[in-house]
Amino acid sequence: MKIAILPGDGIGPEIIAQAVKVLEVLRREGLPVELEYAPIGGAGYDASGDPLPDATLNLAQQSDAVLLGAVGGYQYDALPRSLRPEQGLLRIRKGLNLFANLRPAQLYPELANASPLRLEVVSGLDIMILRELTGDIYFGQPRGIRTLDNGERQGFDTMVYSESEIARVAHVGFQIAMKRAGENGVGKVCSVDKANVLDTSMLWREIVTEVAKEYPAVELSHMYVDNAAMQLVRAPKQFDVILTGNIFGDILSDEASMLTGSIGMLPSASLDANNKGLYEPCHGSAPDIARKNIANPLATILSLAMMMRYTFARVDIAQRIESSVRKTLQRGLRTADIAEAGMEKIGTDAMGDAVVAALLN
Ligand code: NAD
């Protein structure tokens, strides 16, 4: 298990250090883990004038999986766009051909009060948003701003998906639903599109329906994106896996992430065709709390659990890490972002140590 560790900026190094503690425990127990560090984002720019140094991309390409902290910081805000930390992230996703972005939204009973929704709407929530990441209107050509004959300017973008792009992400969706069915006893994919208006979506629906025939154990449904946005807050527990394109997924995954209410708890994975993946927390580099030892490392530790499940097919280890996180929450341990009034708060390091202690129990 060759894992590239890219701590990045801000709280990145602090939260990554906690996930590495978990990896070190697993290594001592005999898991064949090999770690190598490289800079990305602002740290890449500081080290070699590039937010994605060649050596970092090479390391990521040669590794089985990448664990990333976060990128970005005030000191880089004035740089030209091509040198900004976020470019490192966009380029590594492209360089690794990561087309499937997975964001689970799961509510921990101990943190139920953090959700902006009523408890009965979200308790027991466990959904997975699968967003296509490399196609759609964000990358379609032609695009631009042109001047019309009457002198008025007009902006335009192109929504485009080819059959193969739709099919490969649909396969990922059905396979994830099967994995989740194995663990939870359910297997449902809801494909979200706008097939009543968009031709791209009509093709999307047709191809997803075709791919579904290869997965008879998984139940497929379709939903228009406007309805999906509404259902996500009305009755989110009806969903298991939501499969959707890049722009709809961008919006719905942020909506879904808020169902749980705590940004410090949300992991993510971005996968290529061979289940190689980049794993990172959904939050940013939180420069406002960097180097204060107060950031929540759980999203990063849960991203590591996703790595074990999706890249290394070690569901046993994934579940063990996840259950260690749950036990830690059950013990009442909280970083500042998830602590309720009157609760004792612990720091980043102590939270990492607590998860390790739970892992060893
Ligand atoms: P952010 O997610 O970094 O922070 C938003 C708020 O949430 C802040 O108040 C922060 O303190 C808090 N927060 C975030 N993660 C936390 C954690 N683990 N524990 C406790 N509190 C946490 O978003 P932002 O402030 O909009 O952006 C800051 C920088 O991060 C910017 O440079 C931005 O470009 C970058 N960014 C990077 C990524 C990424 O690396 N994937 C994603 C989003 C933003």
Side-chain angles (χ1 to χ4, degrees), residues 11 70-73 86 89 263-264 280 283-289 295-296 337:
I11 59 172
V71 301
E86 297 74 18
L89 207 52
I263 192 162
E280 58 181 325
H283 58 71
S285 57
D288 52 331
I289 58 168
N296 185 348
D337 58 311

Side-chain angles (χ1 to χ4, degrees), residues 224-284:
Y224 298 135
V225 63
D226 41 349
N227 187 22
M230 189 172 77
Q231 296 299 333
L232 265 176
V233 287
R234 194 189 72 85
K237 284 187 276 183
Q238 69 185 283
F239 297 110
D240 176 15
V241 175
I242 292 180
L243 163 67
T244 192
N246 203 345
I247 188 168
F248 299 153
D250 188 1
I251 299 162
L252 293 182
S253 62
D254 265 27
E255 185 189 2
S257 72
M258 276 300 100
L259 298 174
T260 65
S262 31
I263 192 162
M265 298 293 301
L266 297 166
S268 80
S270 303
L271 305 179
D272 76 358
N274 304 309
N275 286 332
K276 174 172 175 163
L278 182 145
Y279 298 82
E280 58 181 325
C282 288
H283 58 71

Side-chain angles (χ1 to χ4, degrees), residues 172-210:
V172 174
F174 288 107
Q175 283 159 17
I176 288 169
M178 285 182 57
K179 273 193 188 143
R180 286 166 60 87
E183 290 177 50
N184 307 332
V186 287
K188 291 193 293 181
V189 169
C190 178
S191 172
V192 170
D193 60 37
K194 190 75 183 167
N196 50 345
V197 179
L198 299 170
D199 286 352
T200 315
S201 280
M202 281 171 62
L203 183 68
W204 176 279
R205 194 174 276 222
E206 187 187 316
I207 301 298
V208 170
T209 305
E210 256 169 46

Side-chain angles (χ1 to χ4, degrees), residues 61-82:
Q61 282 167 337
Q62 285 155 22
S63 303
D64 301 311
V66 178
L67 185 66
L68 189 141
V71 301
Y74 310 129
Q75 66 271 46
Y76 309 108
D77 283 352
L79 288 173
R81 177 134 64 125
S82 64

